[in-house]
Amino acid sequence: MKSQGILLQDDKIQHTVIRQMKTYHSYHLSINKSGRYYRFAKRLMDIVSSLVAIVILIVPMLIISLLIFLQDFHSPIFKQIRVTKDGRFFTMYKFRTMHVDAEQRLAELQNQNEANGPVFKMENDPRVTKLGRVLRRTSIDEIPQFFNVLNGTMSLVGPRPPLPREVEKYTPYQMHRLDVKGGITCYWQCSGRSNIMFNNWIELDLKYICESSIWVDTKILFRTFGAVLRKDGAE
């Protein structure tokens, strides 16, 4: 099963995800069968845009990394296993916005989850640092994902890559979020983000999958830029 991606410590979750990916196609969904031209143009846009963003933002990224490191002298980059197209696992990068023991404290906060579905959301999450709240409100914490876009594990536009423990709870219909490569932004990011219920989030992702084109990707990128400036739905 190594071809499915990075092996997780929790083999039970990994095997569940793989098993679901083998069976979910029995649930019919009419998706957009993107052509070769679109896939080539999308990848070219990903490479050029991520390179330009990294060059422009390299100095701010170094400064932010130093500020995060000086909080507690731990790594400023948070690495997390996520799931992308066809159930493959990969490592996603973000600026660390939580204390280093955040994952260990998750279980004690589950009864305060404010989101529906398999995701966890908490408005005043005590695991988030003061600097982390600023980074999240401005979406600066997502900047390292340009490296994911450059190495091909993510795209600029696509459904947000979920956690394996979330995918484990997906219905066959929801598994269609994994029909395309995960991205930094999609309809959800420019439609309210944290204010959107999980079921609506799924519908927005499937809407993107059915409509995907270079024009749609470009439109979403411009709408996302505006949403970030307005801090729509930011935590």
Side-chain angles (χ1 to χ4, degrees):
M1 293 298 183
K2 290 184 180 181
S3 63
Q4 291 291 330
I6 300 170
L7 290 177
L8 305 180
Q9 291 181 347
D10 191 338
D11 288 338
K12 177 179 178 295
I13 293 179
Q14 184 191 26
H15 292 157
T16 300
V17 171
I18 293 171
R19 185 174 64 253
Q20 286 177 285
M21 288 306 304
K22 288 180 177 179
T23 61
Y24 86 101
H25 283 293
S26 61
Y27 193 105
H28 176 72
L29 180 70
S30 178
I31 66 170
N32 180 12
K33 303 296 184 181
S34 302
R36 183 179 300 177
Y37 168 78
Y38 169 64
R39 293 194 298 270
F40 173 81
K42 183 179 178 70
R43 181 60 188 145
L44 181 62
M45 184 168 69
D46 283 347
I47 293 172
V48 173
S49 299
S50 58
L51 271 175
V52 171
I54 290 169
V55 169
I56 292 174
L57 298 172
I58 189 65
V59 173
M61 281 194 285
L62 291 173
I63 294 173
I64 294 166
S65 296
L66 179 61
L67 292 175
I68 297 172
F69 177 76
L70 291 176
Q71 288 182 128
D72 50 23
F73 300 101
H74 284 86
S75 174
I77 301 298
F78 178 63
K79 300 177 182 179
Q80 191 174 50
I81 299 298
R82 296 289 182 118
V83 186
T84 188
K85 187 179 186 299
D86 298 329
R88 293 192 296 270
F89 302 130
F90 74 101
T91 302
M92 190 177 81
Y93 308 121
K94 297 181 72 171
F95 280 127
R96 181 168 57 85
T97 59
M98 291 186 171
H99 297 288
V100 292
D101 62 346
E103 287 297 310
Q104 289 74 23
R105 296 172 60 188
L106 179 60
E108 66 188 58
L109 297 171
Q110 282 291 351
N111 62 344
Q112 301 180 57
N113 187 10
E114 298 169 1
N116 66 336
V119 296
F120 179 86
K121 295 289 182 181
M122 186 176 175
E123 184 176 356
N124 296 308
D125 194 327
R127 301 173 300 161
V128 181
T129 64
K130 290 182 179 178
L131 176 58
R133 295 190 188 282
V134 175
L135 297 178
R136 287 186 171 201
R137 282 198 300 270
T138 55
S139 298
I140 290 174
D141 60 317
E142 311 284 358
I143 289 177
Q145 286 161 44
F146 282 118
F147 289 100
N148 283 118
V149 175
L150 185 60
N151 69 23
T153 52
M154 289 178 64
S155 181
L156 286 175
V157 183
R160 287 296 292 168
L163 292 164
R165 64 171 177 263
E166 296 170 355
V167 177
E168 184 185 24
K169 301 174 184 176
Y170 276 9
T171 66
Y173 180 70
Q174 293 166 349
M175 289 292 286
H176 279 287
R177 291 187 76 238
L178 305 178
D179 281 344
V180 297
K181 186 184 296 185
I184 293 179
T185 186
C186 204
Y187 280 129
W188 175 69
Q189 270 70 23
C190 51
S191 302
R193 289 190 285 181
S194 297
N195 297 329
I196 300 292
M197 301 295 284
F198 181 72
N199 288 338
N200 292 336
W201 178 0
I202 292 292
E203 294 303 322
L204 287 171
D205 283 341
L206 298 185
K207 170 183 168 68
Y208 168 74
I209 292 171
C210 292
E211 298 178 350
S212 55
S213 67
I214 288 298
W215 163 244
V216 169
D217 286 2
T218 304
K219 180 175 66 174
I220 289 174
L221 288 172
F222 276 103
R223 288 179 58 183
T224 300
F225 183 71
V228 169
L229 291 179
R230 296 189 302 269
K231 300 178 183 178
D232 290 349
E235 295 182 339

